[in-house]
Amino acid sequence: MSRPKVTVVGAGNVGATTAQYIVERELADVVLTDVVDGLPQGKALDLLQAGPVHGYDCRVTGANDYEATAGSDIIVITAGLARKPGMSRDDLLMKNAEIVGGVVAETTRRSPTAILIVVTNPLDAMAQLAFRRSGFPKQRVIGMAGVLDSARFRTFIAQELDVSVENVTAFVLGGHGDTMVPLPRYSTVAGIPITELLSKERLEALVKRTANGGAEIVGLLKTGSAYYAPAASVVDMVEAILKDKKKVLPCTAYLEGEYGLKGLFVGVPVKLGRRGVEQILQITLAPDEAAALGRSAAAVRELTDKLGI
Ligand code: TXD
């Protein structure tokens, strides 16, 4: 049986780390592409040479063009510019739209049955752009943000209560960024809602830190943005798809009436399997949660309107 094939576009921090985690878990052969001459080839060769030490046989190929990407099962798009300190995700909008649009055209032509996982910011708008440009069915275009945002929330909850991260599940909805909507009443420690374990004030502080999670790391790194947790989050999605796990994860998906939203990519709980987004799970929101989701969707809509998509 041949291994699945995953193309990772963009051999920067998130892209290269994604490639690394995929082969370390022996999930697929990886093709890594980038516009910078030698960068994807060098990182691919380096990763290949870690294989004997780690004990993986997955092939890793680097390229500056798209020929080697043909017939991919999944295409992960990380190409673009990352945020610098003081720069919002939205500042990236126009530049990254141009990059992602080009990447989608080149890759989908060669892998017409692939599933697209979009990572480039501003995430929700880039997912929508990829959906429109690819002409793919909505099940096969997914944005990564919720897994990361909920991982951050889980980290802070586990730290605060001094419990294992494995005991903590967290639920976030909405767009990636300042308007995301963490849902504490659906976030639990071994099944116990965290609203039972944390004071309102502490909870608010953790929610705030989660929403600001990306900026906190940008502020520390100064020359780039987070990549270990983002790459781990992408690979969780890749694994759920390739292994047809039917795993429920918060992902950015195209809504057609779910949660009262139409024609827009927003973060919601989805079931991920070999066909991509196999189901969108709907829950009843409290009025304040619905209002927060509405505000988040409006922020996404502002960007998609700017792009005319
Ligand atoms: O939660 C999330 N969705 C995110 C998103 C979490 C972390 C990072 N997030 C966004 O992913 C970030 O704001 C950026 O828009 C992307 C990639 O972040 P990364 O940290 O990996 O940025 P790098 O290290 O600058 O890498 C980007 C690479 C770089 O090597 C460029 O040369 C390359 O993209 N690039 C391209 N590759 C292929 N094709 C084209 N056109 C291209 N343009 C740039």
Side-chain angles (χ1 to χ4, degrees):
M1 203 186 85
S2 66
R3 260 186 299 272
K5 178 168 171 179
V6 175
T7 287
V8 179
V9 184
N13 283 333
V14 178
T17 312
T18 296
Q20 177 193 342
Y21 292 164
I22 288 174
V23 295
E24 283 180 358
R25 285 158 77 164
E26 291 203 290
L27 293 174
D29 290 333
V30 175
V31 178
L32 191 58
T33 71
D34 201 289
V35 284
V36 178
D37 181 37
L39 181 74
Q41 294 90 340
K43 291 193 179 180
L45 188 57
D46 196 6
L47 274 174
L48 203 58
Q49 293 167 355
V53 184
H54 272 290
Y56 57 73
D57 291 294
C58 295
R59 271 172 294 171
V60 194
T61 313
N64 295 123
D65 61 29
Y66 290 93
E67 291 317 314
T69 70
S72 293
D73 296 284
I74 296 179
I75 296 160
V76 179
I77 301 177
T78 77
L81 308 180
R83 277 195 295 169
K84 301 275 165 2
M87 195 176 174
S88 81
R89 290 185 178 93
D90 301 353
D91 294 336
L92 296 175
L93 179 70
M94 291 303 169
K95 188 64 203 153
N96 283 354
E98 197 183 309
I99 293 172
V100 170
V103 167
V104 167
E106 292 292 343
T107 52
T108 55
R109 187 154 74 77
R110 294 175 173 86
S111 300
T113 60
I115 291 171
L116 294 178
I117 299 179
V118 181
V119 182
T120 307
N121 272 325
L123 188 273
D124 311 86
M126 292 303 111
Q128 182 126 338
L129 179 78
F131 174 61
R132 301 276 187 232
R133 290 289 155 81
S134 63
F136 278 11
K138 63 180 181 176
Q139 290 80 3
R140 290 201 278 120
V141 183
I142 318 166
M144 188 292 289
V147 179
L148 172 64
D149 291 332
S150 73
R152 286 179 171 151
F153 197 22
R154 289 170 67 192
T155 306
F156 300 143
I157 294 165
Q159 266 186 348
E160 178 85 8
L161 294 170
D162 192 24
V163 297
S164 165
V165 289
E166 287 186 77
N167 281 147
V168 184
T169 60
F171 200 106
V172 294
L173 283 175
H176 185 43
D178 313 332
T179 62
M180 74 181 205
V181 187
L183 290 193
R185 70 192 173 100
Y186 282 118
S187 303
T188 68
V189 175
I192 307 164
I194 55 168
T195 45
E196 303 275 322
L197 302 170
L198 287 165
S199 69
K200 205 163 175 280
E201 294 68 44
R202 285 312 300 153
L203 202 50
E204 264 166 29
L206 300 189
V207 163
K208 201 165 162 213
R209 192 172 176 198
T210 303
N212 198 41
E216 183 177 357
I217 291 181
V218 170
L220 291 166
L221 293 179
K222 297 183 184 68
T223 55
S225 58
Y227 54 98
Y228 292 115
S233 303
V234 172
V235 176
D236 202 20
M237 293 166 65
V238 167
E239 182 176 43
I241 292 167
L242 292 179
K243 293 188 176 170
D244 196 26
K245 284 177 79 81
K246 320 284 186 198
K247 191 166 183 177
V248 177
L249 291 170
C251 296
T252 303
Y254 191 64
L255 302 186
E256 286 180 307
E258 299 90 348
Y259 291 94
L261 299 167
K262 224 181 183 133
L264 199 65
F265 270 79
V266 175
V268 290
V270 310
K271 189 197 286 176
L272 278 192
R274 195 60 193 85
R275 287 175 291 138
V277 175
E278 300 194 350
Q279 193 190 339
I280 292 173
L281 283 82
Q282 290 204 69
I283 55 160
T284 310
L285 297 179
D288 59 323
E289 294 163 351
L293 184 62
R295 282 194 296 277
S296 182
V300 176
R301 180 90 69 189
E302 210 176 290
L303 300 187
T304 58
D305 283 351
K306 267 185 213 155
L307 292 173
I309 50 169

